[in-house]
Amino acid sequence: MPGTRFHKFDHKPRVIVTRRLPEAVETRMAELFDVTLNLDDHPMTTAELRAAVAEAEVLAPTVTDVIDSALIGAAGPQLKLIANFGVGVDHIDLAAARARGITVTNTPGVLTDDTADLVMALILAVPRRIAEGERLIREGVWTGWSPTGMLGHRITGKRLGIVGMGRIGQAVAARARAFGLAIHYHNRNRLPKAIEGPLEATWWPTLDAMLARVDIVSLNCPETPETHHIINADRLRLMQRHAFLINVARGTLIDEAALVDALEAGRIAGAGLDVFEQEPAIHPGLLGRPDVVLLPHMGSATFEARQEMGEKVITNIRVFADGHRPPDQVLEDY
Ligand code: 8YV
């Protein structure tokens, strides 16, 4: 029967948090839970994570923790909830969690606007060469204005192709409309007219067809087995030579080696990347290129978002410990 695994805790839940969270969040957690914090914020080793899941009733991890089937297999029977700090859960083996009866929650909604803002920042930064211009000044090599200096490409009137039209994709579309971009999107399902209409958005049932027609591609889908390397060498070949690729979702959506090849061969015009295949390592072929803008996974990096993400983690733990379905449960009831 759905939901039958929820049971009320008769004590403060034993919570282990894997990274430092905003101070107010940690303070509240210490009031509410029997909590262990990671005061020096080091990414936990596998051995430390194994020790944590052997002891915790609730693990509060982040994107830097690999919660794979081996780790879940090492969990003691007391581990009941993985309350992720972040919306993406591709670092957690959901099937393994489900098989062990462990509930998984995330923090959707509160980082949507900030992440969409960063997409717009990259949509502006790459075609308009903003980071390159900034470097020119700092390196002391700017010799002054010239009629043909630092020319980039106009945004207004171009076609934006959004891959994954969920919360963040729609927030990108709303912003991009205000910049005069035409909205195209590829999504498993077409959106209702009530959403498509105001955005004047065009749905493409096949990604390949859309890639060949748009000027800027923004990846806004989660990483899943279906979307892994969704942008590979073949798909990069479908893109137009003047097109730009923006990714603030997950680095593993792109075959990074294929992207470097495409940039080197001039098959696409540039890329704006906030996420990478092997974070924090960056493909060396990207580092020296002037046609890419590289950011350190900072889509949700605002004080406001990180505070609200922490509040969501707390709410999910409290509701779960009270014996109810937590609001941001990732898997269906089972
Ligand atoms: C977070 C993110 O910073 O929420 C996500 O999925 O990628 C980022 O916004 C990170 O995941 C925190 O764990």
Side-chain angles (χ1 to χ4, degrees), residues 62-63 85-88 111 250 297 300 306 309:
T62 74
V63 69
F85 180 85
V87 68
L111 42 74
R250 281 294 179 269
H297 197 148
S300 69
R306 294 288 160 84
M309 288 160 70

Side-chain angles (χ1 to χ4, degrees), residues 239-258:
M239 289 174 64
Q240 307 190 75
R241 294 184 94 84
H242 67 264
F244 299 99
L245 177 63
I246 308 296
N247 186 15
V248 302
R250 281 294 179 269
T252 42
L253 297 175
I254 300 178
D255 178 342
E256 231 167 56

